[in-house]
């Protein structure tokens, strides 16, 4: 979460109580005032000592490692946290290897949003660039919402590839929600499957569908067979990896209400949920699949763009009220369909047609690159906003 992170050695000022999340060292000097941080890896807290030397107050600082080991040492007002750790020869492997020269992104702190907002010194472009490379960096309650979009799921793959390349920390622990193709790609991401292979699967299926006059709606084209082949590639522990991180939108057949699943008892349970989320009457067959005694169909009927978190990044190949989507200049109107605000444009009409009637593979590959570039534009705009804060 580049928005709420800073590097390790910021200065300690008087009257500060800190409980922080740390992942290893290097940074510009800035003063923390009244900060309160949250932790899992390495935490520390400070309390003011009674003695003072050279008119500077001494602080008692406690570092706590993930295994519960604690180190309580002293540091003076004005010392940064890295200096305190090094001066007291603490057993913290790798911390401060670059001596605070901003040579890597290993060490950083993660703040609650309200505490980050209280810091007066803004993040520099250099700091934000370095934070984007930090391992394990996470945002606060980030949800990446992937729309249902059939064969144009290749656009979503392009966008996710871009996020993984330029902001890997954003996807590290983000919750991913999706319907239909969005749910399939979300499952691939949380299970750490190569997106190039997922993209190849979309292209193969589209190529087969194009062999028939009415495309994927031909009775001789069995979409379920291609879907099954792709789902069998999910790892054995897919349901464990997806629990709590993947939210799949489905539509309950008996009342057409939306249901979102995020917890599964087995890999087969997860696979069946994904089958339901992708089931389109006529396209996939006429008998919707059963899940826990109920019949469900495509989540796009009731919620095409599920949002399950406070901070959401939405992605869709259809332009509209979405964070990452194609840009449109000539908009005829606006339409909201199943929680997806879309522009009424000729380009969107063509894209809607192509979700189920796929164009040639080279055109689908253009959508992949469009998604990649649109995501890159979003990241640049996001970084600029963070810097202006």
């Amino acid at each position: 979460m580049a928005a709420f992170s800073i590097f390790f050695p910021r200065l300690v000022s008087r009257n500060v109580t800190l409980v922080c999340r740390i992942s290893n060292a290097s940074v510009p000097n800035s003063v923390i005032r009244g900060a309160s941080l949250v932790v899992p890896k390495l935490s520390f807290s400070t309390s003011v000592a009674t003695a003072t030397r050279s008119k500077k107050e001494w602080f008692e600082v406690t570092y706590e490692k993930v295994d519960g080991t604690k180190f309580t040492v002293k540091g003076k007002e004005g010392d940064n946290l890295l200096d305190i750790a090094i001066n007291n020869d603490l057993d913290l492997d790798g911390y401060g290897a670059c001596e605070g020269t901003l040579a890597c992104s290993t060490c950083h702190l993660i703040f609650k949003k309200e505490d980050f907002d209280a810091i007066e010194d803004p993040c520099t472009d250099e700091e934000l660039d370095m934070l984007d490379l930090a391992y394990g960096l996470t945002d606060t309650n980030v949800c990446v919402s992937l729309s249902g979009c059939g064969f144009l799921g290749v656009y979503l793959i392009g966008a996710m590839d871009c996020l993984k390349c330029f902001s890997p920390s954003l996807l590290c622990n983000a919750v991913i929600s999706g319907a239909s193709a969005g749910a399939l790609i979300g499952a691939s991401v949380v299970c750490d499957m190569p997106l190039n292979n997922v993209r190849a699967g979309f292209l193969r299926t589209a190529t087969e569908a194009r062999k028939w006059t009415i495309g994927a709606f031909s009775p001789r084209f069995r979409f379920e067979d291609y879907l099954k082949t792709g789902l069998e590639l999910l790892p054995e522990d897919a349901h464990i990896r997806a629990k709590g991180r993947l939210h799949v939108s489905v539509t309950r057949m008996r009342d057409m209400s939306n249901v979102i699943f995020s917890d599964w008892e087995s890999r087969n349970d997860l696979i069946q949920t994904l089958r339901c989320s992708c089931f389109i009457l006529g396209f996939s067959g006429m008998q919707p699949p059963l899940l826990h005694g109920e019949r469900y169909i495509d989540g796009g009927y009731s919620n095409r763009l599920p949002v399950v978190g406070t901070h959401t990044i939405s992605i869709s190949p259809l332009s509209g009220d979405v964070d990452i989507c194609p840009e449109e200049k000539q908009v005829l109107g606006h339409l909201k369909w199943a929680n997806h605000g879309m522009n009424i444009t000729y380009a969107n009409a063509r894209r809607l047609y192509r979700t189920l009637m796929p164009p040639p593979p080279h055109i689908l590959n253009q959508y992949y690159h469009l998604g990649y570039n649109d995501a890159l534009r979003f990241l640049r705009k996001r970084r600029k906003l963070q810097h202006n804060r």
Side-chain angles (χ1 to χ4, degrees):
M1 91 174 185
F4 309 136
S5 296
I6 64 171
F7 283 107
F8 189 12
R10 296 218 173 196
L11 298 182
V12 177
S13 65
R14 62 182 302 170
N15 301 323
V16 176
T17 297
L18 300 174
V19 179
C20 72
R21 184 179 196 173
I22 305 180
S23 305
N24 289 344
S26 90
V27 297
N29 293 328
S30 301
V31 177
I32 301 177
R33 294 184 177 86
S36 178
L37 317 165
V38 192
V39 233
K41 272 193 152 182
L42 170 64
S43 68
F44 65 88
S45 60
T46 69
S47 59
V48 181
T50 56
T52 60
R53 295 182 187 177
S54 303
K55 297 183 180 181
K56 288 189 177 181
E57 295 205 28
W58 284 77
F59 291 84
E60 191 173 80
V61 183
T62 299
Y63 296 81
E64 182 178 354
K65 297 173 68 173
V66 69
D67 61 3
T69 304
K70 294 183 179 181
F71 306 97
T72 299
V73 294
K74 290 184 179 180
K76 291 185 295 185
E77 178 185 349
D79 287 348
N80 65 46
L81 300 169
L82 175 58
D83 288 340
I84 295 173
I86 293 175
N87 292 341
N88 288 276
D89 196 23
L90 297 186
D91 182 20
L92 302 174
D93 292 341
Y95 284 83
C98 70
E99 299 181 350
T101 58
L102 196 59
C104 69
S105 59
T106 309
C107 310
H108 57 274
L109 313 180
I110 300 178
F111 290 76
K112 294 177 182 177
K113 183 179 185 302
E114 57 270 26
D115 296 325
F116 181 86
D117 290 340
I119 299 174
E120 296 178 3
D121 299 329
C123 290
T124 64
D125 283 339
E126 182 183 18
E127 190 171 0
L128 289 171
D129 289 341
M130 191 67 76
L131 283 168
D132 278 341
L133 302 175
Y135 177 78
L137 207 63
T138 58
D139 211 332
T140 302
N141 299 322
V142 165
C143 167
V144 177
S145 181
L146 305 176
S147 72
C149 53
F151 289 106
L152 294 194
V154 293
Y155 177 95
L156 305 181
I157 295 172
M160 297 300 271
D161 261 343
C162 178
L163 295 181
K164 289 183 73 172
C165 179
F166 290 96
S167 189
S169 58
L170 192 149
L171 294 182
C172 183
N173 293 307
V175 168
I176 299 179
S177 61
S180 193
L184 293 179
I185 294 164
S188 302
V189 172
V190 300
C191 291
D192 202 26
M193 297 174 63
L195 288 181
N196 276 343
N197 294 348
V198 180
R199 176 186 173 192
F202 269 82
L203 295 178
R204 280 195 301 270
T205 306
T207 300
E208 289 301 313
R210 286 180 53 79
K211 292 180 179 179
W212 310 100
T213 304
I214 54 176
F217 288 95
S218 170
R220 300 183 67 179
F221 174 79
R222 293 185 57 82
F223 171 73
E224 281 286 299
D225 291 344
Y226 294 96
L227 179 61
K228 181 180 178 181
T229 300
L231 292 175
E232 286 176 350
L233 297 177
L234 289 172
E236 290 301 319
D237 63 345
H239 60 293
I240 298 173
R241 299 190 193 193
K243 183 176 181 179
R245 281 201 63 201
L246 176 66
H247 292 248
V248 180
S249 171
V250 298
T251 303
R252 189 163 52 207
M253 186 67 179
R254 62 180 168 86
D255 58 4
M256 295 301 289
S257 63
N258 183 248
V259 179
I260 294 180
F261 288 98
S262 62
D263 191 0
W264 297 272
E265 294 181 357
S266 66
R267 175 175 175 271
N268 287 338
D269 192 23
L270 170 60
I271 287 176
Q272 190 69 353
T273 304
L274 293 171
R275 285 189 61 223
C276 291
S277 188
C278 295
F279 191 92
I280 300 175
L281 288 171
F283 179 85
S284 305
M286 298 306 296
Q287 184 76 317
L290 274 170
L291 178 64
H292 304 157
E294 290 272 4
R295 293 197 181 276
Y296 295 93
I297 57 176
D298 195 308
Y301 286 109
S302 55
N303 193 349
R304 295 174 58 86
L305 202 60
V307 175
V308 298
T310 305
H311 305 284
T312 300
I313 297 172
S314 52
I315 308 176
S316 172
L318 303 173
S319 69
D321 298 334
V322 184
D323 295 303
I324 299 175
C325 67
E327 289 186 316
E328 300 276 57
K329 293 183 178 179
Q330 296 182 341
V331 178
L332 304 177
H334 194 73
L335 169 70
K336 187 142 189 176
W337 171 26
N339 199 39
H340 190 334
M342 295 178 286
N343 294 329
I344 299 175
T345 66
Y346 295 113
N348 263 357
R350 182 169 61 252
R351 294 179 193 120
L352 277 170
Y353 175 79
R354 287 174 168 175
T355 59
L356 296 180
M357 298 293 287
H362 74 277
I363 299 295
L364 284 178
N365 275 324
Q366 290 177 11
Y367 278 103
Y368 167 86
H369 293 293
L370 178 63
Y372 193 99
N373 291 331
D374 287 342
L376 188 57
R377 185 180 71 247
F378 166 79
L379 288 175
R380 286 171 175 163
K381 184 186 299 184
R382 184 170 183 257
R383 181 170 296 168
K384 183 177 180 181
L385 287 174
Q386 291 168 354
H387 177 63
N388 290 338
R389 289 173 59 191

